[in-house]
Amino acid sequence: MSRVEVEQGYFGQFGGSFVSPELQEVLDRLAEQFERYKDDPDFKEEYLYYLREYVGRETPLTYARNLTEHLKGAKIYFKREDLNHTGAHKINNAIGQILLAKRMGAKRVIAETGAGQHGVATATACALFGMDCTIYMGAEDTKRQALNVFRMELLGAKVVPVSKGQGRLKDAVDEALADLVANYEDTFYLLGSAVGPHPYPSMVKHFQSIISEESKRQILEKEGRLPDAVIACVGGGSNAIGAFAHYLEDEEVRLIGVEPDQAATLTEGVPAVLHGFRSLVLLDERGNPRPTYSIAAGLDYPGIGPEHSHLKETGRAEYVTVTNEEVLEAFQLLAKTEGILPALESAHAIAHAIRLAPTLGRDRILLVNLSGRGDKDVEQVFQMLNEQGADA
Ligand SMILES: *Cc1c(COP(=O)(O)O)cnc(C)c1O
């Protein structure tokens, strides 16, 4: 990415910041502080210290020998973000942003959460750094995800149910932004994906790029060359942009993002401003955000990080969809062949790899980002498979 794009917060026609003047002032200060610290050697050293000593990085790049032999095609490697402390890639970003919050003198951290995964990562980072933590969560979501609410409370966070609007993720974001505007002097808003107004998409990318920084070094050590494709699931787009970042300039490496077919923002979206930034958005005939659905709660979002919209428009990355059936099959096949239970989100990326690998020669390499572990999804998979059994 060029310097100009970073400064203006634009990725081609996408990105930017469309917010109230009050919020813009707060975001300008955040952008300035992020620019100041992101390449600061002390800051970087502290970030890498916590990733190593607390999160458990670097994560392995595992050759999936059994799955590869089963599919009889391209070699499949998994970048194991599931092995991070708290079980997914979200903690990379939470640690990075909380260190910035500390440098900016914040005493209080707030965040939005949908299914609760980002809320748990934020509450974890706040416990570690002794920060006061408030998580906004749609009232509907607090009911559906009662155990994650309890998890956040165990970690010392205050969870505020939001019943305004539809009581969903979007309403939780609005409440968090209102809190930020009212309390910006001591409060830091720790956003969970590569979405939102500038500087959030660039900041989240920066802290998630550790994924491809490591994977590139690892694949060169193991294979002596770059992969033919990098595959990642896409919700708001943070694990995917982190997995793509260090390959963006290697034109021979295909970058493939995988969406649920019922939340296919990149495949079916149109350019529009939603939640304070311009990106591809799923709209209905009247021009309102279209309701999305995914069996993976972390992918159930009608918007997408602006850089992905740009990568799609320029053709540098490809975006595909998979069905719930393919995801469930991928989940089970990975469990049986490799002894790994993937998050349902990650199983989207695996499902596409399962489709692609047999069409490629055995000398090809696919690098799949395994964004999280699936323990959280076991009960849901149990129910879905029982229903399938009952239907059959
Ligand atoms: C939250 C989550 C995602 C989706 O978010 P992105 O910002 O698109 O990465 C994917 N996988 C897991 C395991 C998650 O927890």
mmCIF file of all heavy atoms in Angstrom, residues 160-190:
data_model
loop_
_atom_site.group_PDB
_atom_site.id
_atom_site.type_symbol
_atom_site.label_atom_id
_atom_site.label_comp_id
_atom_site.label_asym_id
_atom_site.label_seq_id
_atom_site.Cartn_x
_atom_site.Cartn_y
_atom_site.Cartn_z
ATOM 1 N N VAL A 160 -22.816 -4.468 28.326
ATOM 2 C CA VAL A 160 -24.014 -3.631 28.258
ATOM 3 C C VAL A 160 -24.894 -4.108 27.105
ATOM 4 O O VAL A 160 -24.513 -3.982 25.941
ATOM 5 C CB VAL A 160 -23.629 -2.151 28.016
ATOM 6 C CG1 VAL A 160 -24.884 -1.279 27.958
ATOM 7 C CG2 VAL A 160 -22.684 -1.656 29.110
ATOM 8 N N PRO A 161 -26.082 -4.670 27.413
ATOM 9 C CA PRO A 161 -26.985 -5.093 26.338
ATOM 10 C C PRO A 161 -27.614 -3.860 25.681
ATOM 11 O O PRO A 161 -28.038 -2.946 26.379
ATOM 12 C CB PRO A 161 -28.070 -5.906 27.056
ATOM 13 C CG PRO A 161 -27.665 -5.987 28.495
ATOM 14 C CD PRO A 161 -26.658 -4.922 28.747
ATOM 15 N N VAL A 162 -27.642 -3.847 24.340
ATOM 16 C CA VAL A 162 -28.197 -2.709 23.610
ATOM 17 C C VAL A 162 -29.528 -3.137 23.003
ATOM 18 O O VAL A 162 -29.561 -4.025 22.151
ATOM 19 C CB VAL A 162 -27.227 -2.261 22.491
ATOM 20 C CG1 VAL A 162 -27.821 -1.110 21.697
ATOM 21 C CG2 VAL A 162 -25.875 -1.868 23.090
ATOM 22 N N SER A 163 -30.631 -2.505 23.460
ATOM 23 C CA SER A 163 -31.932 -2.917 22.905
ATOM 24 C C SER A 163 -32.485 -1.922 21.891
ATOM 25 O O SER A 163 -33.520 -2.172 21.279
ATOM 26 C CB SER A 163 -32.937 -3.193 24.029
ATOM 27 O OG SER A 163 -32.776 -2.257 25.054
ATOM 28 N N LYS A 164 -31.776 -0.802 21.707
ATOM 29 C CA LYS A 164 -32.168 0.133 20.637
ATOM 30 C C LYS A 164 -32.147 -0.580 19.285
ATOM 31 O O LYS A 164 -31.418 -1.557 19.120
ATOM 32 C CB LYS A 164 -31.151 1.282 20.564
ATOM 33 C CG LYS A 164 -31.453 2.412 21.523
ATOM 34 C CD LYS A 164 -30.539 3.598 21.244
ATOM 35 C CE LYS A 164 -30.431 4.484 22.464
ATOM 36 N NZ LYS A 164 -29.171 5.232 22.513
ATOM 37 N N GLY A 165 -32.875 -0.027 18.313
ATOM 38 C CA GLY A 165 -32.866 -0.591 16.957
ATOM 39 C C GLY A 165 -33.315 -2.035 16.980
ATOM 40 O O GLY A 165 -34.320 -2.368 17.600
ATOM 41 N N GLN A 166 -32.533 -2.894 16.303
ATOM 42 C CA GLN A 166 -32.892 -4.314 16.259
ATOM 43 C C GLN A 166 -32.181 -5.112 17.351
ATOM 44 O O GLN A 166 -32.311 -6.329 17.406
ATOM 45 C CB GLN A 166 -32.508 -4.904 14.904
ATOM 46 C CG GLN A 166 -33.254 -4.278 13.733
ATOM 47 C CD GLN A 166 -32.819 -4.925 12.438
ATOM 48 O OE1 GLN A 166 -31.633 -4.906 12.060
ATOM 49 N NE2 GLN A 166 -33.773 -5.521 11.737
ATOM 50 N N GLY A 167 -31.389 -4.402 18.161
ATOM 51 C CA GLY A 167 -30.656 -5.106 19.209
ATOM 52 C C GLY A 167 -29.616 -6.062 18.652
ATOM 53 O O GLY A 167 -29.407 -7.154 19.158
ATOM 54 N N ARG A 168 -28.945 -5.633 17.549
ATOM 55 C CA ARG A 168 -27.932 -6.476 16.914
ATOM 56 C C ARG A 168 -26.586 -5.741 16.882
ATOM 57 O O ARG A 168 -26.435 -4.676 17.454
ATOM 58 C CB ARG A 168 -28.358 -6.850 15.480
ATOM 59 C CG ARG A 168 -29.659 -7.640 15.383
ATOM 60 C CD ARG A 168 -29.533 -9.054 15.934
ATOM 61 N NE ARG A 168 -28.427 -9.788 15.346
ATOM 62 C CZ ARG A 168 -28.499 -10.490 14.221
ATOM 63 N NH1 ARG A 168 -29.628 -10.568 13.548
ATOM 64 N NH2 ARG A 168 -27.448 -11.137 13.776
ATOM 65 N N LEU A 169 -25.636 -6.320 16.154
ATOM 66 C CA LEU A 169 -24.272 -5.789 16.121
ATOM 67 C C LEU A 169 -24.204 -4.314 15.720
ATOM 68 O O LEU A 169 -23.493 -3.522 16.332
ATOM 69 C CB LEU A 169 -23.421 -6.635 15.164
ATOM 70 C CG LEU A 169 -21.974 -6.185 14.970
ATOM 71 C CD1 LEU A 169 -21.213 -6.226 16.285
ATOM 72 C CD2 LEU A 169 -21.265 -7.074 13.947
ATOM 73 N N LYS A 170 -24.967 -3.927 14.699
ATOM 74 C CA LYS A 170 -24.917 -2.549 14.232
ATOM 75 C C LYS A 170 -25.287 -1.571 15.345
ATOM 76 O O LYS A 170 -24.687 -0.515 15.507
ATOM 77 C CB LYS A 170 -25.863 -2.354 13.045
ATOM 78 C CG LYS A 170 -25.802 -0.948 12.518
ATOM 79 C CD LYS A 170 -26.955 -0.546 11.636
ATOM 80 C CE LYS A 170 -26.831 0.904 11.193
ATOM 81 N NZ LYS A 170 -26.762 1.862 12.297
ATOM 82 N N ASP A 171 -26.293 -1.946 16.139
ATOM 83 C CA ASP A 171 -26.748 -1.078 17.227
ATOM 84 C C ASP A 171 -25.691 -1.001 18.330
ATOM 85 O O ASP A 171 -25.510 0.043 18.957
ATOM 86 C CB ASP A 171 -28.080 -1.602 17.769
ATOM 87 C CG ASP A 171 -29.071 -1.857 16.630
ATOM 88 O OD1 ASP A 171 -29.504 -0.874 16.017
ATOM 89 O OD2 ASP A 171 -29.346 -3.027 16.321
ATOM 90 N N ALA A 172 -24.990 -2.111 18.539
ATOM 91 C CA ALA A 172 -23.902 -2.121 19.526
ATOM 92 C C ALA A 172 -22.770 -1.189 19.076
ATOM 93 O O ALA A 172 -22.192 -0.460 19.893
ATOM 94 C CB ALA A 172 -23.384 -3.546 19.718
ATOM 95 N N VAL A 173 -22.476 -1.180 17.766
ATOM 96 C CA VAL A 173 -21.438 -0.280 17.232
ATOM 97 C C VAL A 173 -21.851 1.175 17.465
ATOM 98 O O VAL A 173 -21.043 1.998 17.923
ATOM 99 C CB VAL A 173 -21.207 -0.524 15.723
ATOM 100 C CG1 VAL A 173 -20.281 0.534 15.128
ATOM 101 C CG2 VAL A 173 -20.639 -1.917 15.481
ATOM 102 N N ASP A 174 -23.129 1.497 17.178
ATOM 103 C CA ASP A 174 -23.610 2.872 17.370
ATOM 104 C C ASP A 174 -23.447 3.315 18.822
ATOM 105 O O ASP A 174 -23.037 4.441 19.099
ATOM 106 C CB ASP A 174 -25.082 2.988 16.956
ATOM 107 C CG ASP A 174 -25.244 2.886 15.442
ATOM 108 O OD1 ASP A 174 -24.245 3.054 14.722
ATOM 109 O OD2 ASP A 174 -26.373 2.621 14.979
ATOM 110 N N GLU A 175 -23.783 2.430 19.770
ATOM 111 C CA GLU A 175 -23.661 2.772 21.192
ATOM 112 C C GLU A 175 -22.196 2.977 21.580
ATOM 113 O O GLU A 175 -21.865 3.892 22.341
ATOM 114 C CB GLU A 175 -24.255 1.664 22.065
ATOM 115 C CG GLU A 175 -25.755 1.677 22.125
ATOM 116 C CD GLU A 175 -26.314 2.956 22.750
ATOM 117 O OE1 GLU A 175 -26.092 3.196 23.949
ATOM 118 O OE2 GLU A 175 -26.971 3.716 22.010
ATOM 119 N N ALA A 176 -21.325 2.131 21.064
ATOM 120 C CA ALA A 176 -19.895 2.259 21.379
ATOM 121 C C ALA A 176 -19.364 3.586 20.845
ATOM 122 O O ALA A 176 -18.601 4.283 21.525
ATOM 123 C CB ALA A 176 -19.124 1.075 20.795
ATOM 124 N N LEU A 177 -19.798 3.972 19.634
ATOM 125 C CA LEU A 177 -19.326 5.240 19.051
ATOM 126 C C LEU A 177 -19.836 6.436 19.861
ATOM 127 O O LEU A 177 -19.108 7.407 20.088
ATOM 128 C CB LEU A 177 -19.765 5.351 17.589
ATOM 129 C CG LEU A 177 -19.011 4.439 16.623
ATOM 130 C CD1 LEU A 177 -19.645 4.477 15.234
ATOM 131 C CD2 LEU A 177 -17.528 4.807 16.525
ATOM 132 N N ALA A 178 -21.092 6.350 20.337
ATOM 133 C CA ALA A 178 -21.645 7.440 21.156
ATOM 134 C C ALA A 178 -20.863 7.564 22.463
ATOM 135 O O ALA A 178 -20.544 8.675 22.915
ATOM 136 C CB ALA A 178 -23.128 7.180 21.438
ATOM 137 N N ASP A 179 -20.521 6.436 23.052
ATOM 138 C CA ASP A 179 -19.717 6.416 24.282
ATOM 139 C C ASP A 179 -18.350 7.066 24.010
ATOM 140 O O ASP A 179 -17.875 7.907 24.791
ATOM 141 C CB ASP A 179 -19.556 4.956 24.743
ATOM 142 C CG ASP A 179 -18.749 4.815 26.032
ATOM 143 O OD1 ASP A 179 -17.836 5.620 26.267
ATOM 144 O OD2 ASP A 179 -19.025 3.876 26.807
ATOM 145 N N LEU A 180 -17.744 6.711 22.868
ATOM 146 C CA LEU A 180 -16.424 7.253 22.535
ATOM 147 C C LEU A 180 -16.471 8.780 22.414
ATOM 148 O O LEU A 180 -15.611 9.485 22.948
ATOM 149 C CB LEU A 180 -15.920 6.638 21.227
ATOM 150 C CG LEU A 180 -14.570 7.162 20.732
ATOM 151 C CD1 LEU A 180 -13.454 6.781 21.714
ATOM 152 C CD2 LEU A 180 -14.246 6.619 19.350
ATOM 153 N N VAL A 181 -17.487 9.279 21.721
ATOM 154 C CA VAL A 181 -17.596 10.733 21.540
ATOM 155 C C VAL A 181 -17.766 11.430 22.894
ATOM 156 O O VAL A 181 -17.174 12.472 23.158
ATOM 157 C CB VAL A 181 -18.759 11.080 20.580
ATOM 158 C CG1 VAL A 181 -19.066 12.569 20.604
ATOM 159 C CG2 VAL A 181 -18.405 10.645 19.160
ATOM 160 N N ALA A 182 -18.550 10.812 23.791
ATOM 161 C CA ALA A 182 -18.807 11.424 25.099
ATOM 162 C C ALA A 182 -17.597 11.337 26.031
ATOM 163 O O ALA A 182 -17.401 12.194 26.881
ATOM 164 C CB ALA A 182 -20.026 10.757 25.749
ATOM 165 N N ASN A 183 -16.780 10.303 25.880
ATOM 166 C CA ASN A 183 -15.714 10.038 26.870
ATOM 167 C C ASN A 183 -14.322 9.935 26.260
ATOM 168 O O ASN A 183 -13.447 9.281 26.820
ATOM 169 C CB ASN A 183 -16.035 8.727 27.612
ATOM 170 C CG ASN A 183 -17.369 8.790 28.325
ATOM 171 O OD1 ASN A 183 -17.567 9.613 29.198
ATOM 172 N ND2 ASN A 183 -18.298 7.942 27.908
ATOM 173 N N TYR A 184 -14.105 10.592 25.109
ATOM 174 C CA TYR A 184 -12.855 10.371 24.368
ATOM 175 C C TYR A 184 -11.597 10.691 25.166
ATOM 176 O O TYR A 184 -10.529 10.175 24.881
ATOM 177 C CB TYR A 184 -12.865 11.172 23.060
ATOM 178 C CG TYR A 184 -12.870 12.675 23.271
ATOM 179 C CD1 TYR A 184 -11.667 13.362 23.351
ATOM 180 C CD2 TYR A 184 -14.057 13.375 23.417
ATOM 181 C CE1 TYR A 184 -11.663 14.729 23.572
ATOM 182 C CE2 TYR A 184 -14.056 14.739 23.641
ATOM 183 C CZ TYR A 184 -12.856 15.407 23.723
ATOM 184 O OH TYR A 184 -12.837 16.746 23.950
ATOM 185 N N GLU A 185 -11.726 11.509 26.229
ATOM 186 C CA GLU A 185 -10.505 11.907 26.934
ATOM 187 C C GLU A 185 -9.808 10.743 27.629
ATOM 188 O O GLU A 185 -8.587 10.728 27.701
ATOM 189 C CB GLU A 185 -10.812 13.025 27.931
ATOM 190 C CG GLU A 185 -10.851 14.365 27.205
ATOM 191 C CD GLU A 185 -11.240 15.521 28.087
ATOM 192 O OE1 GLU A 185 -11.324 15.334 29.316
ATOM 193 O OE2 GLU A 185 -11.476 16.607 27.546
ATOM 194 N N ASP A 186 -10.591 9.791 28.139
ATOM 195 C CA ASP A 186 -9.931 8.664 28.826
ATOM 196 C C ASP A 186 -10.298 7.309 28.220
ATOM 197 O O ASP A 186 -9.954 6.275 28.752
ATOM 198 C CB ASP A 186 -10.271 8.676 30.326
ATOM 199 C CG ASP A 186 -11.725 8.300 30.589
ATOM 200 O OD1 ASP A 186 -12.531 8.318 29.640
ATOM 201 O OD2 ASP A 186 -12.053 7.978 31.742
ATOM 202 N N THR A 187 -11.038 7.324 27.073
ATOM 203 C CA THR A 187 -11.591 6.069 26.538
ATOM 204 C C THR A 187 -11.028 5.737 25.158
ATOM 205 O O THR A 187 -10.881 6.618 24.318
ATOM 206 C CB THR A 187 -13.134 6.171 26.463
ATOM 207 O OG1 THR A 187 -13.630 6.351 27.793
ATOM 208 C CG2 THR A 187 -13.753 4.932 25.854
ATOM 209 N N PHE A 188 -10.736 4.468 24.939
ATOM 210 C CA PHE A 188 -10.234 3.975 23.652
ATOM 211 C C PHE A 188 -11.238 2.964 23.110
ATOM 212 O O PHE A 188 -11.644 2.046 23.830
ATOM 213 C CB PHE A 188 -8.872 3.303 23.863
ATOM 214 C CG PHE A 188 -8.196 2.888 22.578
ATOM 215 C CD1 PHE A 188 -7.241 3.701 21.979
ATOM 216 C CD2 PHE A 188 -8.508 1.670 21.970
ATOM 217 C CE1 PHE A 188 -6.608 3.313 20.799
ATOM 218 C CE2 PHE A 188 -7.889 1.294 20.784
ATOM 219 C CZ PHE A 188 -6.935 2.112 20.206
ATOM 220 N N TYR A 189 -11.633 3.114 21.839
ATOM 221 C CA TYR A 189 -12.554 2.173 21.208
ATOM 222 C C TYR A 189 -11.741 1.124 20.447
ATOM 223 O O TYR A 189 -11.098 1.442 19.454
ATOM 224 C CB TYR A 189 -13.511 2.921 20.287
ATOM 225 C CG TYR A 189 -14.529 2.030 19.567
ATOM 226 C CD1 TYR A 189 -14.710 0.696 19.921
ATOM 227 C CD2 TYR A 189 -15.316 2.541 18.552
ATOM 228 C CE1 TYR A 189 -15.633 -0.107 19.275
ATOM 229 C CE2 TYR A 189 -16.247 1.753 17.893
ATOM 230 C CZ TYR A 189 -16.389 0.426 18.259
ATOM 231 O OH TYR A 189 -17.304 -0.363 17.602
ATOM 232 N N LEU A 190 -11.775 -0.110 20.942
ATOM 233 C CA LEU A 190 -10.990 -1.209 20.353
ATOM 234 C C LEU A 190 -11.888 -1.977 19.370
ATOM 235 O O LEU A 190 -12.679 -2.818 19.769
ATOM 236 C CB LEU A 190 -10.489 -2.111 21.487
ATOM 237 C CG LEU A 190 -9.227 -2.934 21.236
ATOM 238 C CD1 LEU A 190 -8.627 -3.422 22.553
ATOM 239 C CD2 LEU A 190 -9.424 -4.076 20.295
#
